[in-house]
Amino acid sequence: GQQVMQIPQYQHVQEGEDFTTYCNSSTTLSNIQWYKQRPGGHPVFLIQLVKSGEVKKQKRLTFQFGEAKKNSSLHITATQTTDVGTYFCAGRRNNDMRFGAGTRLTVKP
Amino acid sequence: DAGITQSPRHKVTETGTPVTLRCHQTENHRYMYWYRQDPGHGLRLIHYSYGVKDTDKGEVSDGYSVSRSKTEDFLLTLESATSSQTSVYFCAISLDYLGETQYFGPGTRLLVL
């Protein structure tokens, strides 16, 4: 069955450093979605990528979808304390969507 | 935040007892979902609904049942709770199936002793 692997599991950075989380699927995806979950909160939708090689930006966040549509990344430039939380990818293939286990980001001021 | 509420927000129960969790939406979205979240597993889909009385199984449906008698309400029932069902349960809604922007509820923390 479809599997979505996400690395790293944890990342601790100093405020101002960059951060990247990677998502890899065992199968070609129809699309991939990214979510952010603050500590004690619920997942909040960030973005959806659909096209091969697609790159989208939201302020300091850059999202990429691989050419083969099997991997994706989320890069945060110059992290801030407000970026703390767990970032999840969710890969969709046909009528099945699987979430990665998430990358938990902590930021030291 | 989208108009999604979950009740109860926290529950402690004993093994073998039935438990029902409620999700209520005010957005009139067609699709509703129940997920469980466990460390190291991310979110896993339990059941979903695509309309009143229309439901289907997700990835981890064993031990769970659902019902949707009204557009706004989606109930998740654990017929006989087990310790392995200790988890955080999230309800979500969307306009399209697994569509862009699933809105999640605040979650229910369930502890089965």
Side-chain angles (χ1 to χ4, degrees), chain A:
Chain A
Q2 181 191 171
Q3 289 190 349
V4 175
M5 307 299 292
Q6 193 172 351
I7 57 171
Q9 189 174 1
Y10 302 96
Q11 185 77 58
H12 179 71
V13 300
Q14 189 80 33
E15 187 173 22
E17 292 180 338
D18 292 355
F19 159 76
T20 305
T21 174
Y22 301 90
C23 195
N24 294 289
S25 170
S26 56
T27 58
T28 302
L29 300 170
S30 308
N31 63 52
I32 195 159
Q33 298 177 1
W34 285 92
Y35 292 80
K36 176 183 178 180
Q37 184 176 18
R38 295 184 185 276
H42 58 276
V44 175
F45 175 84
L46 294 176
I47 208 159
Q48 176 171 283
L49 305 172
V50 178
K51 300 177 183 178
S52 169
E54 189 170 14
V55 178
K56 287 188 177 181
K57 293 188 176 184
Q58 290 180 349
K59 297 183 180 179
R60 295 179 294 104
L61 278 61
T62 301
F63 304 84
Q64 293 188 328
F65 201 10
E67 294 289 342
K69 300 183 72 173
K70 296 179 72 172
N71 57 74
S72 181
S73 65
L74 159 59
H75 179 82
I76 301 178
T77 302
T79 55
Q80 301 175 358
T81 55
T82 53
D83 294 325
V84 298
T86 301
Y87 293 85
F88 293 97
C89 62
R92 180 174 177 178
R93 176 179 172 84
N94 299 322
N95 288 327
D96 187 30
M97 177 178 277
R98 298 295 171 98
F99 281 79
T103 296
R104 184 176 176 182
L105 173 66
T106 55
V107 180
K108 183 177 181 181

